[in-house]
Amino acid sequence: MKDSKQQRGEEGFGDKQKAFGSPNAISKKNKKDYSSGKTKEGNDDRDVLIKAGPLKYKLPGKKQRVIIGSIVLGLNVLFVLAVLLYFYNPSFQEFIYTVGRS
């Protein structure tokens, strides 16, 4: 009995796909280019954060975010090491004190 219902299209997804159209019927204009994360229509105005006259500040790309993040993390590690060295090494503490006086 279940086989006869599927053949008639009463059960399953057969009729729904025909009612909404095939997946190939989606217009090419609205498809996304997943490699860049943008639609093919070009949304450059959406990426602009600040516009001051002829200058535009856009969102940073993936490479820029990785580079900036690496720089920030590296400087934080150097700062923590310098603080630890300051508290545990008297000669470094004296050096910092001398540099701060001049």
Side-chain angles (χ1 to χ4, degrees), residues 3 5 7 13 16 20 22 27 29 32 35 38 46 48 50 53 58 63-64 70 72 75 83-85 88 98-99:
D3 293 331
K5 285 184 180 180
Q7 289 174 353
F13 297 110
K16 291 180 183 177
F20 293 113
S22 68
S27 85
K29 190 187 305 183
K32 282 191 174 183
S35 62
K38 298 179 185 176
R46 233 176 77 186
V48 175
I50 299 172
K58 295 183 179 183
K63 287 182 181 179
Q64 288 176 329
S70 300
V72 169
L75 290 174
V83 168
L84 291 174
L85 191 61
Y88 292 113
T98 307
V99 169

Side-chain angles (χ1 to χ4, degrees), residues 11 26-27 29 32 55 62-63 67 74 77 95 99 102:
E11 188 177 15
I26 299 172
S27 85
K29 190 187 305 183
K32 282 191 174 183
L55 299 175
K62 184 177 180 181
K63 287 182 181 179
I67 290 170
V77 168
F95 171 74
V99 169
S102 56

Side-chain angles (χ1 to χ4, degrees), residues 38 43-51 54-61 64-65 68:
K38 298 179 185 176
N43 291 332
D44 289 336
D45 293 337
R46 233 176 77 186
D47 292 339
V48 175
L49 291 178
I50 299 172
K51 186 176 180 182
L55 299 175
K56 295 179 183 178
Y57 177 72
K58 295 183 179 183
L59 291 171
Q64 288 176 329
R65 289 187 303 225
I68 292 171

Side-chain angles (χ1 to χ4, degrees), residues 30-43:
N30 293 331
K31 285 187 179 180
K32 282 191 174 183
D33 181 13
Y34 290 107
S35 62
S36 66
K38 298 179 185 176
T39 58
K40 290 185 179 181
E41 295 171 358
N43 291 332

